[in-house]
Amino acid sequence: MMLPEWLVWWALPPAQRYLRRRSPMPPMGTELPRGSAPYVPLTEEPLDAAELARWQADHPMPEPDEADLERERRDADAARARWSPRARECAEQVVRTGRGSVDDVPGVALEARLARFWWGSSVVEVEAWSLDGSAGSSCAAVVARGSGPDVVDEVALQVAVALAQVAT
């Protein structure tokens, strides 16, 4: 038996409800379009368990290249370190006023917002884009209610990641 959607939504903490309302996910109870799952063939009829196992054995998921993964980690860490001071300034502004922006990075615009809820949790939303339209980044994350002064660190991390993705 499936619960009514409004009952499931009501049971969620306010920050989670906020994210669910703003996410592009389909409403609960709707089926995903056929073939939307990765590494599953498009067929007219659903595959049974044996057919799916045989297909997955014939088409294994490629193993990640460890050197590429390590290089990506190093690049991400370097970008975060590069943008960390500017991200921290923006995060302090966001925590203090609820909104913040980065305007002094050439060719990049960034806006951040902190929505606070009565249970003490918050949602940080960060949107960054390049002014020439070649790159963009958007993210939202729940900041737990017990974070206290770590809220600035959480927001700074989200801002630094967004800047790293757009300004590199």
Side-chain angles (χ1 to χ4, degrees):
M1 177 180 138
M2 192 163 170
L3 293 172
E5 187 172 346
W6 65 268
L7 182 61
V8 173
W9 278 71
W10 187 254
L12 291 174
Q16 292 290 338
R17 283 199 305 257
Y18 179 85
L19 277 180
R20 292 288 296 264
R21 277 195 311 268
R22 296 177 61 89
S23 72
M25 293 175 51
M28 292 176 62
T30 60
E31 292 185 25
L32 292 174
R34 178 172 283 146
S36 64
Y39 296 97
V40 176
L42 295 172
T43 61
E44 292 297 321
E45 296 296 320
L47 298 177
D48 63 17
E51 291 172 327
L52 181 60
R54 187 172 50 253
W55 189 88
Q56 288 175 336
D58 292 341
H59 303 87
M61 185 180 285
E63 292 295 323
D65 183 21
E66 291 299 323
D68 286 344
L69 291 175
E70 185 57 35
R71 182 183 43 78
E72 288 174 11
R73 279 190 217 106
R74 278 195 316 270
D75 291 348
D77 290 342
R80 279 192 214 102
R82 175 180 177 204
W83 295 112
S84 186
R86 185 61 194 108
R88 182 100 181 149
E89 292 173 21
C90 180
E92 289 169 353
Q93 178 186 8
V94 169
V95 171
R96 189 174 54 253
T97 65
R99 289 188 169 283
S101 61
V102 173
D103 301 322
D104 58 352
V105 176
V108 174
L110 180 137
E111 293 179 359
R113 178 172 175 257
L114 187 67
R116 297 181 189 262
F117 297 94
W118 57 274
W119 275 6
S121 57
S122 304
V123 172
V124 60
E125 296 175 294
V126 178
E127 194 168 341
W129 60 94
S130 62
L131 297 178
D132 64 0
S134 64
S137 173
S138 177
C139 65
V142 174
V143 180
R145 68 176 147 179
S147 295
D150 295 336
V151 172
V152 174
D153 295 334
E154 294 277 342
V155 175
L157 175 65
Q158 297 295 328
V159 170
V161 167
L163 281 171
Q165 289 175 347
V166 175
T168 55

